[in-house]
Amino acid sequence: RCRAEATAIPDEQLANLPTLPASPHEVWQYGYGDYDETSKQTASFTPLAHFTGSQWQASSTLPDPTLGYALLHAAGGHPDQPGRAVIRRWVAPVSGTLTVSGSIQHGSPNGDGVRARVVSRRTVQQGNGLLGEWTCFNSRVDCPVAATAVEAGDTIDLIVDCLAANTSDSFQWNAKFTLTAVDGMVRTFDSVADFHGPPVSRGVLVGQIKKAWQLAYSRNPEPDELIAAMDFMADQMGYLHIHRDH
């Protein structure tokens, strides 16, 4: 009910309230682009602009007049024509060593299947960002990537294109990342379980705090009570960010 019924707090009111921690840098980003066969690097990445509530796509219209059926959802997605691959981008939150597991599945006997690539920005500095490449037609193919070094802020792109025929290219890809940080802490990331829409704004979060107070006490919080509740929320957000894997 807090999510469904809360009203965002206006900016002028937020100015008089405590700040909340900035949202953790989003590990996953969702977009489309292309892969450069010569340099073996991601040639372009543009975020998909519209979230339907269950998937990212170019606009509220599907197919989009420009980008067609390019879309991503929790389980997988669909690329558009050549040059318009869909890209699920992972951003390393800390430095360490990364391995990738999982498999891609293409479930139609029509078309010519899809191609999956894992591309690292870290190894691009060495002239070749390609960590793995697989084609899949009406089957399931494992997509393992051996241990590779990453620095905080590096990107790993999961790129899926249509090969030659832009038809029947729906796919599923359950990629699982295991990051062993330089301090020895092991963190896991799951492309399916971690899938998300747009981040919630500060005004909406404060509105949810206020709505929760109304539901619990049948009244609006007093100014000092709202400040106390926001301080509590800030502590909890910080704790959950640090202990997200527990």
Side-chain angles (χ1 to χ4, degrees), residues 78-94:
H78 193 293
D80 197 53
Q81 66 187 34
R84 297 177 188 162
V86 286
I87 303 174
R88 196 179 306 255
R89 171 165 285 183
W90 180 85
V91 183
V94 297

Side-chain angles (χ1 to χ4, degrees), residues 12 51 91 96 109 205 212 221:
E12 58 269 21
F51 187 65
V91 183
L205 284 174

Side-chain angles (χ1 to χ4, degrees), residues 96-101 118 120 122-123 126 130-131 143-150 156 176-180:
T97 302
L98 178 73
T99 59
V100 183
S101 62
V118 179
S120 167
R122 171 62 35 183
T123 54
Q126 303 168 4
L130 186 63
L131 299 179
C143 304
V145 173
T148 186
V150 295
I156 302 290
K176 298 182 179 180
F177 287 34
T178 301
L179 175 63
T180 303

Side-chain angles (χ1 to χ4, degrees), residues 172-242:
Q172 296 181 0
W173 191 353
N174 61 326
K176 298 182 179 180
F177 287 34
T178 301
L179 175 63
T180 303
V182 292
D183 62 2
M185 179 177 290
V186 177
R187 299 177 62 177
T188 59
F189 305 86
D190 188 306
S191 65
V192 176
D194 296 345
F195 183 77
H196 62 80
V200 179
S201 70
R202 178 169 173 252
V204 170
L205 284 174
V206 178
Q208 292 175 353
I209 294 172
K210 183 176 179 179
K211 187 63 182 181
W213 194 282
Q214 293 170 340
L215 292 172
Y217 298 108
S218 300
R219 64 174 175 83
N220 287 325
E222 297 294 337
D224 61 328
E225 293 172 332
L226 181 57
I227 290 173
M230 290 184 65
D231 287 340
F232 174 78
M233 178 66 77
D235 289 342
Q236 293 299 300
M237 292 172 68
Y239 179 87
L240 292 174
H241 176 43
I242 295 172

